[in-house]
Amino acid sequence: MAELSKKAVRTVNWALDRFYNAKDLKAPKLIEDFRVPNVLARELPLKENRVLLMSDVALEHLRRMVSAIHEADAFDGLANYSDVYSACKGVLAELISNGQRPDDANELLALMRTRISSAIDERTFAVPIVGVVLKGIDCVDLGMVQIVPASVDYLDAAGVNHTHADVENTIKRTRARYWLVGTTKGTPDVAEDKFRSQAELAVGMLAITAAAMYEDGAEAFRLGLAMSPEEAHGVAGWFSWSGQSKSLTSHFKAPHGQELELSAELLQRVRESGVFDKALSIFESTRRSPLEEAIAKAVYWYADAQREQVPVMKLVKYWSCSETFFSADNKDVARALSAGVAAVLVFGHFRFVPEGEYAKIKQRVTKLYDHRSRALHGASHHHVSSRETADLSQCTAWMLLNMISFAEQGYTRVEQVKEQCERLDRLMKANK
């Protein structure tokens, strides 16, 4: 497995030293101590039912360590960011429980590898495939995956223990006639992602073949995997088993996401600033100013992005919101976007980001925009994490709320906002 670069070692060592600062790791004493934002992410569970709460600073140092180790690909692509985060947090919690700490980044990485290695295995997946039928053949080999009839007989032939799972009922519930079966290696999430990627490419090739052979191209076909409720048009059910245990695991996925609870109190808070009602008036207007037209377009893309299932496409669509305001002239778009988004978040009506973090938010925005460029110009599609789409979704929401407030204050053109952002960016550079 890859080792950490000298730069990564310095980053982890620096963050590790500061993570152990006593004032940033506190034992809660009152119930009020738990009434902080994102409290579950802050908890460090220790032995004997003890717990420490991480401050914002400690959380930031933890994320620095995780990002440095993840970006170094220290697990050869067999673990994802979430796996690395869980392992790092778990190791630190165990060491703190014992009154210990790692000597340096390399010792921390070695301890994390012990945890993560136990979760890495070859996993086989059997997922319903829709839109195909086998005629006169028992199976179809598609490289590393194959299409087989969905049946208990297949599991028996593969030596899989399924006595604890009601396979026949699951097949009936999901209306599965055929499975797409394949084996990949990694932690559970990574193996699943790898399988999905290979399986989708195989299904895509089937669609291309059909399109080339039939008069209406691909219009008459709807080929796909039923691994999500959206694809299955209901609850999705599929199976997997590891190479070591050969014990069947059943997977069921209901429609994802939580419901947004609308209450009188929440609606009052939403409408207090007037921005929500201003936005509604923009959407209903037939005579919008250029800025209002840009806001309406951006909100359309935001609505589409939050429904999107594929992380890389989520990121691309969230960036469409910001590009509506800051990339009209197509000149040095990355610089214009980083300066524009940062200035709006720091100096807008709603100051979501402290002025002292101006450079940091610019750097973060630039990195996320690089991901967008890799997707659209390099066709990359596995380089975006759910954490990054979550961060971008929040930054974009903050930016849009400020844009609507600018319209409420009388701004009518996108250029007015850009001019102010560029002026503020120059001032921030001059004051470094």
Side-chain angles (χ1 to χ4, degrees):
M1 291 187 176
E3 298 301 324
L4 299 179
S5 67
K6 291 181 179 179
K7 180 180 178 182
V9 167
R10 288 195 301 271
T11 298
V12 175
N13 284 342
W14 184 88
L16 187 59
D17 288 340
R18 284 151 183 80
F19 178 82
Y20 270 80
N21 190 327
K23 71 177 183 180
D24 292 319
L25 298 173
K26 293 184 176 180
K29 297 178 180 178
L30 303 171
I31 190 64
E32 285 75 15
D33 294 332
F34 290 94
R35 291 173 180 156
V36 292
N38 207 13
V39 67
L40 293 179
R42 297 174 186 274
E43 288 187 359
L44 272 180
L46 309 183
K47 293 179 180 178
E48 299 172 353
N49 294 320
R50 294 177 295 142
V51 67
L52 292 179
L53 291 181
M54 292 181 282
S55 69
D56 289 339
V57 174
L59 265 177
E60 179 61 25
H61 292 318
L62 173 61
R63 287 169 179 162
R64 280 179 184 273
M65 289 184 270
V66 172
S67 294
I69 293 171
H70 177 62
E71 289 170 9
D73 194 22
F75 299 93
D76 297 339
L78 300 177
N80 61 17
Y81 180 92
S82 179
D83 297 321
V84 176
Y85 187 96
S86 297
C88 187
K89 185 177 177 181
V91 165
L92 292 172
E94 182 177 354
L95 291 173
I96 291 171
S97 289
N98 297 327
Q100 301 170 329
R101 60 154 287 172
D103 289 336
D104 56 22
N106 289 319
E107 184 181 4
L108 174 63
L109 177 58
L111 293 169
M112 290 170 60
R113 279 180 171 156
T114 299
R115 280 181 172 250
I116 289 181
S117 294
S118 64
I120 293 174
D121 193 6
E122 286 195 340
R123 287 178 166 79
T124 301
F125 298 85
V127 176
I129 179 172
V130 296
V132 299
V133 61
L134 302 188
K135 189 174 181 180
I137 52 178
D138 295 327
C139 70
V140 177
D141 286 322
L142 301 170
M144 66 169 288
V145 298
Q146 62 177 182
I147 301 173
V148 302
S151 71
V152 173
D153 292 341
Y154 180 87
L155 299 178
D156 290 336
V160 179
N161 175 18
H162 58 81
T163 55
H164 56 284
D166 191 350
V167 176
E168 290 187 349
N169 185 50
T170 300
I171 292 173
K172 187 180 298 184
R173 284 178 60 194
T174 58
R175 300 187 295 278
R177 295 179 65 190
Y178 301 97
W179 285 330
L180 195 67
V181 179
T183 301
T184 54
K185 186 177 181 180
T187 62
D189 287 345
V190 168
E192 181 181 327
D193 287 344
K194 285 183 176 181
F195 169 78
R196 180 189 280 272
S197 177
Q198 289 294 327
E200 286 177 345
L201 291 173
V203 172
M205 199 60 225
L206 283 178
I208 291 170
T209 303
M213 294 170 56
Y214 288 85
E215 183 179 355
D216 292 329
E219 280 300 298
F221 301 95
R222 289 295 180 269
L223 311 180
L225 300 175
M227 290 184 76
S228 74
E230 291 76 18
E231 296 160 328
H233 303 290
V235 174
W238 43 281
F239 303 104
S240 70
W241 57 92
S242 73
Q244 293 180 16
S245 70
K246 285 282 189 177
S247 179
L248 193 72
T249 299
S250 301
H251 303 262
F252 296 98
K253 291 189 177 181
H256 83 291
Q258 66 187 61
E259 293 179 326
L260 175 62
E261 294 184 356
L262 297 177
S263 64
E265 180 184 0
L266 177 62
L267 292 174
Q268 182 181 352
R269 286 173 54 197
V270 165
R271 289 200 150 101
E272 276 176 357
S273 67
V275 168
F276 191 85
D277 290 328
K278 174 63 177 177
L280 295 180
S281 70
I282 290 173
F283 305 153
E284 295 168 2
S285 175
T286 56
R287 300 182 64 181
R288 299 171 184 157
S289 70
L291 177 59
E292 290 175 337
E293 187 64 36
I295 288 170
K297 289 179 181 177
V299 172
Y300 167 86
W301 281 112
Y302 196 95
D304 192 49
Q306 61 87 33
R307 292 191 300 266
E308 177 63 59
Q309 300 298 307
V310 182
V312 69
M313 290 309 300
K314 274 181 180 283
L315 181 129
V316 168
K317 290 176 179 180
Y318 281 132
W319 270 123
S320 294
C321 302
S322 296
E323 288 176 324
T324 301
F325 303 102
F326 297 114
S327 65
D329 54 12
N330 292 318
K331 293 179 180 178
D332 198 358
V333 175
R335 187 206 64 79
L337 277 166
S338 64
V341 172
V344 168
L345 298 189
V346 172
F347 298 107
H349 177 77
F350 303 103
R351 298 200 169 198
F352 290 108
V353 176
E355 187 175 329
E357 295 185 15
Y358 184 82
K360 180 180 175 182
I361 194 69
K362 274 187 71 174
Q363 185 179 34
R364 181 63 170 154
V365 167
T366 299
K367 179 179 179 180
L368 291 173
Y369 195 69
D370 285 345
H371 284 349
R372 178 257 186 206
S373 299
R374 286 179 61 189
L376 293 184
H377 304 305
S380 297
H381 53 91
H382 280 303
H383 61 295
V384 177
S385 70
S386 58
R387 178 69 265 163
E388 288 169 324
T389 57
D391 287 349
L392 185 58
S393 72
Q394 187 171 61
C395 283
T396 305
W398 289 346
M399 184 269 297
L400 283 171
L401 289 174
N402 271 323
M403 285 295 182
I404 297 167
S405 77
F406 296 154
E408 190 176 28
Q409 293 165 34
Y411 284 61
T412 58
R413 295 180 296 111
V414 172
E415 289 74 18
Q416 291 174 287
V417 178
K418 290 177 66 177
E419 287 168 6
Q420 293 297 327
C421 290
E422 289 169 1
R423 178 182 65 83
L424 290 166
D425 187 58
R426 288 194 297 270
L427 286 173
M428 292 299 292
K429 287 178 180 177
N431 291 331
K432 272 188 176 182

